[in-house]
Structure formats: C-alpha cells, structure tokens
Amino acid sequence: MKNLNLINARKNKNLTQAELADSLKCVTKAAVSNWETGYSKPRLEVALAVSKILERDVAFLFGYNVQDSCTEQLA
C-alpha cells in the first residue's frame, strides 16, 4: 500500500526522491521509493531524520511501521 503521507510531505517540500535520499546521506533513491510504495520501511533513526527534514511527525509519515534498529538479541 502506498504511503501517501510520505509522498505528499516530500512533494510539499518540493523534494524529489533523489534529493530526499541525498539529504539523508545514508540511503538511496531506491530506498525512498520503496518506503513510498510500501515495499520496505526505514530504520527508526532514518525515519526520525526524514521526519525532521519534512517537518512532519514520524507517526504521521510512517505510523508505527519502522524497523527496529537493534540487531542483537538482548539476553
């Protein structure tokens, strides 16, 4: 399902997918496209950076659909 909130917020800032990706410095245009199409979801720290750039709340942009940034299982 398309993430229309993310698409519209990016377009309202007059940013292309490539420009948003360049602003983040850690993702590609393809990653931004995948978030917008719903194919994948960003890591939490990336979602927070997107939120800051687009000046929109993380919950508005991604709901609660972000990846957990922790890669190790805690004991």
Side-chain angles (χ1 to χ4, degrees), residues 13 46-58 61:
K13 285 291 186 178
V46 175
L48 291 170
V50 171
S51 171
K52 187 173 184 177
I53 291 167
L54 298 181
E55 298 177 336
R56 297 305 304 247
D57 188 77
V58 172
L61 294 173

Side-chain angles (χ1 to χ4, degrees), residues 4-72:
L4 295 178
N5 289 344
L6 177 58
I7 293 167
N8 291 330
R10 175 181 56 76
K11 288 181 178 180
N12 285 338
K13 285 291 186 178
N14 295 314
L15 294 172
T16 65
Q17 290 176 340
E19 290 169 335
L20 179 56
D22 288 344
S23 297
L24 295 167
K25 298 182 180 16
C26 61
V27 299
T28 63
K29 175 195 173 293
V32 174
S33 176
N34 287 339
W35 304 335
E36 290 185 358
T37 60
Y39 183 74
S40 67
K41 52 191 175 182
R43 295 183 323 273
L44 178 57
E45 60 270 17
V46 175
L48 291 170
V50 171
S51 171
K52 187 173 184 177
I53 291 167
L54 298 181
E55 298 177 336
R56 297 305 304 247
D57 188 77
V58 172
F60 174 80
L61 294 173
F62 300 104
Y64 296 100
N65 297 316
V66 295
Q67 292 181 12
D68 184 1
S69 61
C70 182
T71 57
E72 295 181 21

